[in-house]
Amino acid sequence: MRIIKTKDYEEMSLRAAEILAAQVVMKPDCVLGLATGSSPVGLYQRLIGWHEEGVLDFGRVTTVNLDEYRGLAPEHPQSYRYFMNSNLFDHINIDKKRTFVPDGIASDPAAACASYDRKIKDLGGQDIQLLGLGQNGHIGFNEPADSFPVGTHVVSLTESTIEANKRFFASREEVPKEAITMGIANILEARKIVLIANGKEKALAVAEAFFGPVTPKVPASILQLHPDVVVICDQEALSLVPGEGESV
Ligand code: GLP
């Protein structure tokens, strides 16, 4: 695991965007595993900028997203499908038919989970998986638990996640209580993983996940076992890990 310390959000976004862009240049028909939340917005803006400058071509790229809220249709402004369209897909030359997000309104959620697992497998897995980090150490929506969930599954969101994510909704009551998420095995099967975290709200999760024991109580801690992980954090997110990380 490589930890890169950046001075701020902008620099974190640039470093992560450079890695994703390099992946697209290296393998134009690559599979990108993508994430939502506030952390990747700056990174997506960089990718859009490079596309507009004509140096990044998404024409043959496929994407698979980590998760989706249960009960939110793709047109709902807080759905992760809507987020991906408005923050990235609408602004690049990607074929939307090759962008996959779990189905939040499937009438048979178990079948939707199995079909998402199959989709990832059929695509040959992610060449690179981008991750954010929940304040409680979750990745995707894999919440702290007694064991690591393997495949795509429906999850009940913890109170702390509902609390953290209410900023995107008009009220706490509107935050969905469930989500459908890739499991830990789906994430670890990616050939390369890039995790980004910024701000002091993430400092405890960063310290526990990457400098503590591997435990399902801190789901991101399992990334310590993956052979190719880059963690890119701003100084605030690394503030509880004195002396760690390489400055850029
Ligand atoms: C959400 C998403 C995660 C994301 C996390 C952090 O709950 N399911 O994929 O990484 O929150 O979000 P943010 O980047 O807004 O802090």
Side-chain angles (χ1 to χ4, degrees), residues 31-98:
V31 177
L32 301 178
L34 297 179
T36 52
S38 51
S39 307
V41 172
L43 176 171
Y44 292 152
Q45 283 169 358
R46 289 281 181 177
L47 296 181
I48 292 167
W50 291 327
H51 169 68
E52 286 171 349
E53 287 167 23
V55 293
L56 206 48
D57 179 5
F58 291 89
R60 293 167 63 202
V61 168
T62 299
T63 66
V64 280
N65 258 77
L66 285 167
D67 47 13
E68 179 58 283
Y69 285 115
R70 279 265 292 144
L72 298 194
E75 306 73 39
H76 191 290
Q78 302 310 333
S79 75
Y80 284 167
R81 161 54 75 181
Y82 189 96
F83 174 99
M84 289 310 302
N85 286 348
S86 51
N87 282 283
L88 184 64
F89 302 150
D90 285 345
H91 311 286
I92 58 175
N93 66 325
I94 198 161
D95 178 355
K96 284 224 185 95
K97 288 198 289 300
R98 285 213 301 270

Coordinates of all heavy atoms in Angstrom, one line a residue, residues 31-98:
V31 N -12.0 -1.0 -17.8 CA -13.1 -1.0 -16.9 C -12.8 -0.2 -15.7 O -11.9 -0.6 -14.9 CB -13.6 -2.4 -16.5 CG1 -14.7 -2.4 -15.6 CG2 -13.9 -3.3 -17.8
L32 N -13.4 0.9 -15.5 CA -13.2 1.8 -14.4 C -14.3 1.5 -13.3 O -15.5 1.6 -13.6 CB -13.2 3.3 -14.8 CG -12.3 3.8 -15.8 CD1 -12.5 5.3 -16.1 CD2 -10.8 3.5 -15.4
G33 N -13.9 1.2 -12.1 CA -14.8 1.1 -11.0 C -14.9 2.5 -10.4 O -13.9 3.1 -10.0
L34 N -16.1 3.1 -10.3 CA -16.2 4.5 -9.9 C -17.0 4.6 -8.6 O -17.7 3.7 -8.2 CB -16.9 5.3 -11.0 CG -16.0 5.4 -12.3 CD1 -16.8 6.2 -13.4 CD2 -14.6 5.9 -12.1
A35 N -16.8 5.8 -8.0 CA -17.4 6.1 -6.7 C -18.2 7.4 -6.7 O -18.0 8.2 -7.6 CB -16.3 6.1 -5.6
T36 N -19.1 7.6 -5.7 CA -19.8 8.8 -5.6 C -19.4 9.5 -4.3 O -18.4 9.1 -3.7 CB -21.3 8.6 -5.6 OG1 -21.6 7.5 -4.6 CG2 -21.8 8.1 -7.0
G37 N -20.2 10.5 -3.9 CA -19.8 11.3 -2.7 C -19.1 12.6 -3.1 O -18.9 12.8 -4.3
S38 N -18.8 13.4 -2.1 CA -18.2 14.7 -2.4 C -16.7 14.5 -2.8 O -16.1 15.3 -3.5 CB -18.3 15.6 -1.2 OG -17.9 15.0 0.0
S39 N -16.0 13.4 -2.3 CA -14.6 13.3 -2.5 C -14.2 13.2 -4.0 O -13.2 13.9 -4.3 CB -14.1 12.0 -1.8 OG -14.5 12.0 -0.4
P40 N -14.9 12.5 -4.8 CA -14.4 12.4 -6.2 C -14.8 13.5 -7.1 O -14.5 13.5 -8.3 CB -15.0 11.0 -6.7 CG -16.1 10.7 -5.8 CD -16.0 11.5 -4.6
V41 N -15.6 14.5 -6.7 CA -16.1 15.5 -7.6 C -15.0 16.3 -8.3 O -15.0 16.5 -9.5 CB -17.0 16.5 -6.8 CG1 -17.4 17.7 -7.7 CG2 -18.3 15.8 -6.4
G42 N -14.0 16.7 -7.5 CA -12.8 17.4 -8.1 C -12.1 16.6 -9.1 O -11.6 17.1 -10.1
L43 N -11.9 15.3 -8.8 CA -11.2 14.4 -9.7 C -12.0 14.3 -11.0 O -11.4 14.3 -12.1 CB -11.2 13.0 -9.0 CG -10.7 11.8 -9.6 CD1 -10.6 10.8 -8.4 CD2 -11.5 11.2 -10.7
Y44 N -13.3 14.2 -10.9 CA -14.2 14.0 -12.1 C -14.0 15.3 -13.0 O -14.0 15.3 -14.2 CB -15.6 13.7 -11.8 CG -15.8 12.3 -11.2 CD1 -16.9 12.0 -10.3 CD2 -14.9 11.3 -11.6 CE1 -17.0 10.8 -9.8 CE2 -15.1 10.0 -11.0 CZ -16.2 9.7 -10.1 OH -16.3 8.5 -9.6
Q45 N -14.0 16.5 -12.3 CA -13.8 17.7 -13.0 C -12.5 17.8 -13.8 O -12.5 18.3 -14.9 CB -13.9 18.9 -12.1 CG -15.3 19.2 -11.7 CD -15.5 20.2 -10.5 OE1 -14.5 20.7 -9.9 NE2 -16.7 20.5 -10.1
R46 N -11.5 17.2 -13.2 CA -10.2 17.1 -13.9 C -10.3 16.3 -15.2 O -9.8 16.6 -16.2 CB -9.1 16.5 -13.0 CG -8.7 17.4 -11.9 CD -7.7 18.4 -12.4 NE -7.2 19.3 -11.3 CZ -6.3 20.2 -11.5 NH1 -5.8 20.4 -12.7 NH2 -6.0 21.0 -10.5
L47 N -11.0 15.1 -15.0 CA -11.1 14.2 -16.2 C -11.9 14.9 -17.3 O -11.6 14.8 -18.5 CB -11.8 12.9 -15.7 CG -11.1 12.0 -14.7 CD1 -11.9 10.8 -14.4 CD2 -9.7 11.6 -15.2
I48 N -13.0 15.6 -16.9 CA -13.8 16.3 -17.9 C -12.9 17.4 -18.6 O -13.0 17.5 -19.8 CB -15.0 17.0 -17.2 CG1 -16.0 15.9 -16.7 CG2 -15.7 18.0 -18.1 CD1 -17.0 16.5 -15.7
G49 N -12.1 18.1 -17.8 CA -11.3 19.1 -18.4 C -10.3 18.5 -19.4 O -10.2 19.1 -20.5
W50 N -9.7 17.4 -19.1 CA -8.8 16.8 -20.1 C -9.5 16.3 -21.3 O -9.0 16.3 -22.4 CB -8.0 15.7 -19.4 CG -7.0 16.2 -18.3 CD1 -6.3 17.4 -18.4 CD2 -6.6 15.5 -17.1 NE1 -5.6 17.5 -17.3 CE2 -5.7 16.4 -16.5 CE3 -7.0 14.4 -16.5 CZ2 -5.1 16.1 -15.2 CZ3 -6.4 14.0 -15.3 CH2 -5.5 14.9 -14.7
H51 N -10.7 15.8 -21.1 CA -11.5 15.3 -22.2 C -11.8 16.5 -23.1 O -11.7 16.5 -24.3 CB -12.8 14.7 -21.8 CG -13.8 14.5 -22.9 ND1 -13.5 13.6 -23.9 CD2 -14.9 15.1 -23.2 CE1 -14.5 13.6 -24.8 NE2 -15.3 14.5 -24.4
E52 N -12.2 17.7 -22.5 CA -12.5 18.9 -23.3 C -11.3 19.4 -24.1 O -11.4 19.9 -25.2 CB -13.1 20.0 -22.4 CG -14.6 19.6 -22.0 CD -15.1 20.5 -20.9 OE1 -14.4 21.3 -20.3 OE2 -16.4 20.4 -20.7
E53 N -10.2 19.2 -23.5 CA -8.9 19.6 -24.1 C -8.5 18.7 -25.3 O -7.6 18.9 -26.0 CB -7.8 19.7 -23.1 CG -7.9 20.9 -22.2 CD -6.9 20.7 -21.0 OE1 -5.9 20.0 -21.2 OE2 -7.1 21.3 -20.0
G54 N -9.2 17.6 -25.3 CA -9.0 16.6 -26.4 C -7.9 15.6 -26.1 O -7.4 14.9 -27.0
V55 N -7.5 15.5 -24.8 CA -6.4 14.6 -24.5 C -6.9 13.3 -23.8 O -6.0 12.4 -23.6 CB -5.3 15.2 -23.6 CG1 -4.6 16.3 -24.4 CG2 -5.9 15.8 -22.3
L56 N -8.2 13.2 -23.6 CA -8.6 12.0 -22.9 C -9.9 11.5 -23.6 O -10.9 12.2 -23.7 CB -8.9 12.3 -21.4 CG -8.8 11.2 -20.4 CD1 -7.6 10.3 -20.6 CD2 -8.9 11.7 -19.0
D57 N -9.9 10.2 -24.1 CA -10.9 9.7 -24.9 C -11.6 8.5 -24.1 O -11.0 7.5 -23.8 CB -10.3 9.2 -26.2 CG -11.4 8.5 -27.1 OD1 -12.6 8.6 -26.8 OD2 -11.0 8.0 -28.2
F58 N -12.9 8.7 -23.8 CA -13.6 7.7 -23.1 C -14.5 6.8 -24.0 O -15.4 6.1 -23.5 CB -14.5 8.4 -22.0 CG -13.7 9.0 -20.9 CD1 -13.3 10.3 -21.0 CD2 -13.4 8.3 -19.7 CE1 -12.6 10.9 -20.0 CE2 -12.7 8.9 -18.7 CZ -12.3 10.2 -18.8
G59 N -14.3 6.9 -25.3 CA -15.1 6.3 -26.2 C -15.2 4.7 -26.1 O -16.2 4.1 -26.5
R60 N -14.2 4.1 -25.5 CA -14.2 2.7 -25.4 C -14.2 2.2 -23.9 O -14.1 1.0 -23.6 CB -13.0 2.1 -26.1 CG -13.1 2.3 -27.6 CD -11.8 2.0 -28.3 NE -11.4 0.6 -28.2 CZ -10.1 0.2 -28.3 NH1 -9.2 1.0 -28.6 NH2 -9.9 -1.1 -28.2
V61 N -14.4 3.2 -23.0 CA -14.3 2.8 -21.6 C -15.7 2.3 -21.1 O -16.7 2.7 -21.5 CB -13.9 4.1 -20.8 CG1 -14.1 3.9 -19.3 CG2 -12.5 4.5 -21.1
T62 N -15.6 1.4 -20.1 CA -16.8 0.9 -19.4 C -16.6 1.2 -18.0 O -15.5 1.2 -17.4 CB -16.8 -0.7 -19.6 OG1 -16.9 -1.0 -20.9 CG2 -18.1 -1.3 -18.8
T63 N -17.7 1.5 -17.3 CA -17.6 1.8 -15.9 C -18.6 1.0 -15.1 O -19.7 0.7 -15.5 CB -17.9 3.3 -15.6 OG1 -19.3 3.6 -15.9 CG2 -17.0 4.2 -16.4
V64 N -18.2 0.7 -13.8 CA -19.1 0.0 -12.9 C -19.1 0.8 -11.6 O -18.0 1.1 -11.1 CB -18.7 -1.4 -12.6 CG1 -19.2 -2.4 -13.7 CG2 -17.3 -1.6 -12.4
N65 N -20.2 1.3 -11.1 CA -20.2 2.0 -9.9 C -20.4 1.1 -8.6 O -20.9 0.0 -8.7 CB -21.3 3.1 -9.9 CG -20.8 4.4 -10.2 OD1 -20.5 4.7 -11.3 ND2 -20.6 5.3 -9.2
L66 N -19.9 1.6 -7.5 CA -19.9 0.9 -6.3 C -21.3 0.6 -5.8 O -21.5 -0.5 -5.3 CB -19.2 1.6 -5.2 CG -17.7 1.7 -5.3 CD1 -17.2 2.8 -4.3 CD2 -17.1 0.4 -4.9
D67 N -22.2 1.6 -5.8 CA -23.4 1.4 -5.0 C -24.5 2.3 -5.5 O -24.3 3.2 -6.3 CB -23.0 1.7 -3.5 CG -22.2 3.0 -3.3 OD1 -22.1 3.8 -4.2 OD2 -21.7 3.1 -2.2
E68 N -25.7 2.1 -4.9 CA -26.8 3.0 -5.2 C -27.8 2.9 -3.9 O -27.9 1.9 -3.3 CB -27.6 2.4 -6.4 CG -28.8 3.2 -6.8 CD -28.6 4.7 -7.1 OE1 -28.5 5.4 -6.1 OE2 -28.6 5.1 -8.3
Y69 N -28.5 4.0 -3.7 CA -29.5 4.0 -2.6 C -30.7 3.1 -3.1 O -31.1 3.2 -4.2 CB -30.0 5.4 -2.4 CG -29.1 6.3 -1.6 CD1 -28.5 7.4 -2.2 CD2 -28.7 6.0 -0.3 CE1 -27.6 8.2 -1.5 CE2 -27.9 6.8 0.4 CZ -27.3 7.9 -0.2 OH -26.5 8.8 0.5
R70 N -31.2 2.4 -2.1 CA -32.4 1.6 -2.4 C -33.6 2.5 -2.4 O -33.8 3.3 -1.4 CB -32.6 0.5 -1.3 CG -31.8 -0.7 -1.6 CD -32.5 -1.8 -2.4 NE -33.6 -2.4 -1.6 CZ -34.8 -2.8 -2.1 NH1 -35.0 -2.6 -3.3 NH2 -35.6 -3.3 -1.3
G71 N -34.5 2.4 -3.4 CA -35.7 3.2 -3.4 C -35.6 4.5 -4.2 O -36.5 5.2 -4.5
L72 N -34.3 4.8 -4.7 CA -34.2 6.1 -5.5 C -34.1 5.7 -7.0 O -33.2 4.9 -7.4 CB -33.0 6.9 -5.1 CG -33.0 7.4 -3.6 CD1 -31.9 8.5 -3.5 CD2 -34.3 8.0 -3.2
A73 N -35.0 6.2 -7.8 CA -35.0 6.0 -9.2 C -33.8 6.8 -9.8 O -33.3 7.7 -9.2 CB -36.3 6.4 -9.8
P74 N -33.4 6.4 -11.0 CA -32.2 7.0 -11.7 C -32.4 8.5 -11.8 O -31.5 9.3 -11.8 CB -32.1 6.4 -13.0 CG -32.8 5.0 -12.9 CD -33.8 5.2 -11.8
E75 N -33.7 9.0 -12.0 CA -34.0 10.4 -12.2 C -33.9 11.2 -10.9 O -34.0 12.4 -10.9 CB -35.4 10.6 -12.8 CG -35.7 9.8 -14.1 CD -35.9 8.3 -13.8 OE1 -36.5 8.0 -12.8 OE2 -35.4 7.5 -14.6
H76 N -33.9 10.5 -9.7 CA -33.9 11.2 -8.5 C -32.6 12.0 -8.3 O -31.5 11.3 -8.4 CB -34.1 10.2 -7.3 CG -34.4 10.9 -6.0 ND1 -33.4 11.6 -5.3 CD2 -35.5 10.9 -5.2 CE1 -33.9 12.1 -4.2 NE2 -35.2 11.7 -4.1
P77 N -32.6 13.3 -8.0 CA -31.4 14.0 -8.0 C -30.4 13.5 -6.9 O -29.2 13.8 -7.1 CB -31.8 15.5 -7.6 CG -33.3 15.5 -7.9 CD -33.8 14.1 -7.8
Q78 N -30.8 12.8 -5.9 CA -29.8 12.2 -5.0 C -29.4 10.8 -5.3 O -28.6 10.2 -4.5 CB -30.4 12.3 -3.5 CG -30.7 13.7 -3.1 CD -29.6 14.7 -3.3 OE1 -28.4 14.4 -3.4 NE2 -30.0 16.0 -3.6
S79 N -29.9 10.3 -6.4 CA -29.5 8.9 -6.7 C -28.1 8.9 -7.2 O -27.6 10.0 -7.7 CB -30.4 8.3 -7.8 OG -30.2 8.8 -9.0
Y80 N -27.4 7.8 -7.1 CA -26.0 7.8 -7.5 C -25.9 7.8 -9.0 O -24.9 8.2 -9.6 CB -25.3 6.7 -6.8 CG -24.9 6.9 -5.4 CD1 -24.5 5.9 -4.5 CD2 -25.0 8.2 -4.9 CE1 -24.2 6.2 -3.2 CE2 -24.7 8.5 -3.5 CZ -24.2 7.5 -2.7 OH -23.9 7.7 -1.4
R81 N -26.9 7.2 -9.7 CA -27.0 7.3 -11.2 C -27.0 8.7 -11.6 O -26.3 9.2 -12.5 CB -28.1 6.5 -11.7 CG -28.5 6.8 -13.1 CD -27.4 6.7 -14.1 NE -27.1 5.3 -14.5 CZ -26.1 5.0 -15.3 NH1 -25.4 5.9 -15.9 NH2 -25.8 3.7 -15.6
Y82 N -27.9 9.5 -11.0 CA -28.0 10.9 -11.4 C -26.7 11.6 -11.1 O -26.2 12.4 -11.9 CB -29.2 11.5 -10.5 CG -29.5 12.9 -10.9 CD1 -30.6 13.1 -11.8 CD2 -28.8 14.0 -10.5 CE1 -31.0 14.4 -12.2 CE2 -29.2 15.3 -10.9 CZ -30.3 15.5 -11.7 OH -30.6 16.8 -12.1
F83 N -26.1 11.3 -10.0 CA -24.8 11.9 -9.6 C -23.8 11.7 -10.7 O -23.1 12.6 -11.1 CB -24.3 11.4 -8.3 CG -22.9 11.8 -7.9 CD1 -22.8 12.9 -6.9 CD2 -21.8 11.2 -8.4 CE1 -21.5 13.3 -6.6 CE2 -20.5 11.6 -8.0 CZ -20.4 12.7 -7.1
M84 N -23.7 10.4 -11.1 CA -22.7 10.1 -12.1 C -22.9 10.7 -13.4 O -22.0 11.2 -14.1 CB -22.6 8.5 -12.3 CG -22.0 7.8 -11.1 SD -20.4 8.4 -10.5 CE -19.4 8.3 -11.9
N85 N -24.2 10.8 -13.8 CA -24.5 11.5 -15.1 C -24.1 12.9 -15.0 O -23.5 13.5 -15.9 CB -26.0 11.3 -15.4 CG -26.4 9.9 -15.9 OD1 -25.5 9.1 -16.2 ND2 -27.7 9.7 -15.9
S86 N -24.5 13.6 -13.9 CA -24.3 15.0 -13.9 C -22.9 15.4 -13.5 O -22.4 16.5 -14.0 CB -25.3 15.7 -12.9 OG -25.3 15.1 -11.7
N87 N -22.2 14.6 -12.8 CA -20.8 14.9 -12.4 C -19.7 14.4 -13.4 O -18.6 14.9 -13.3 CB -20.5 14.4 -11.0 CG -21.1 15.3 -10.0 OD1 -20.6 16.4 -9.7 ND2 -22.2 14.9 -9.4
L88 N -20.1 13.5 -14.3 CA -19.1 12.9 -15.2 C -19.7 12.6 -16.6 O -19.3 13.1 -17.6 CB -18.4 11.7 -14.5 CG -17.2 11.1 -15.4 CD1 -16.1 12.2 -15.5 CD2 -16.7 9.9 -14.7
F89 N -20.6 11.6 -16.6 CA -21.0 11.0 -17.9 C -21.5 11.9 -18.9 O -21.3 11.8 -20.1 CB -21.9 9.8 -17.6 CG -21.4 8.7 -16.7 CD1 -22.3 8.0 -16.0 CD2 -20.1 8.4 -16.7 CE1 -21.9 6.9 -15.1 CE2 -19.6 7.4 -15.8 CZ -20.5 6.6 -15.1
D90 N -22.3 12.9 -18.4 CA -22.9 13.9 -19.4 C -21.9 14.8 -20.0 O -22.2 15.5 -21.0 CB -23.9 14.8 -18.6 CG -25.2 14.1 -18.3 OD1 -25.5 13.0 -18.9 OD2 -26.0 14.6 -17.5
H91 N -20.7 14.8 -19.5 CA -19.7 15.7 -20.0 C -18.5 15.1 -20.7 O -17.5 15.8 -21.1 CB -19.1 16.5 -18.8 CG -20.2 17.1 -17.9 ND1 -21.0 18.1 -18.3 CD2 -20.7 16.7 -16.7 CE1 -21.9 18.4 -17.4 NE2 -21.8 17.5 -16.4
I92 N -18.5 13.8 -20.9 CA -17.5 13.1 -21.6 C -18.1 12.2 -22.7 O -19.3 12.0 -22.7 CB -16.6 12.2 -20.6 CG1 -17.4 11.2 -19.9 CG2 -15.8 13.1 -19.6 CD1 -16.7 10.2 -19.0
N93 N -17.2 11.7 -23.6 CA -17.7 10.9 -24.7 C -17.8 9.4 -24.3 O -17.4 8.6 -25.1 CB -16.8 11.1 -25.9 CG -15.4 10.5 -25.7 OD1 -14.9 10.5 -24.6 ND2 -14.8 9.9 -26.7
I94 N -18.5 9.1 -23.2 CA -18.7 7.7 -22.8 C -20.0 7.3 -23.4 O -21.0 8.1 -23.5 CB -18.6 7.5 -21.3 CG1 -18.3 6.1 -21.0 CG2 -19.8 8.1 -20.6 CD1 -17.7 5.9 -19.6
D95 N -20.1 6.0 -23.7 CA -21.4 5.4 -24.2 C -22.1 5.0 -22.9 O -21.7 4.1 -22.2 CB -21.1 4.2 -25.0 CG -22.3 3.5 -25.5 OD1 -23.4 3.9 -25.0 OD2 -22.2 2.5 -26.2
K96 N -23.2 5.7 -22.6 CA -23.9 5.5 -21.3 C -24.4 4.0 -21.2 O -24.6 3.5 -20.1 CB -25.1 6.4 -21.2 CG -24.7 7.8 -20.8 CD -25.6 8.4 -19.7 CE -25.3 9.8 -19.4 NZ -26.2 10.8 -20.1
K97 N -24.5 3.3 -22.3 CA -24.9 1.9 -22.2 C -23.8 1.1 -21.6 O -24.1 0.0 -21.2 CB -25.3 1.4 -23.6 CG -26.6 2.0 -24.2 CD -27.1 1.1 -25.3 CE -26.3 1.3 -26.6 NZ -26.2 2.6 -27.2
R98 N -22.6 1.7 -21.5 CA -21.5 0.9 -20.9 C -21.2 1.5 -19.5 O -20.1 1.4 -19.1 CB -20.3 0.9 -21.8 CG -20.5 -0.1 -23.0 CD -19.2 -0.7 -23.4 NE -18.2 0.3 -23.8 CZ -18.1 0.8 -25.0 NH1 -18.8 0.3 -26.0 NH2 -17.2 1.7 -25.3

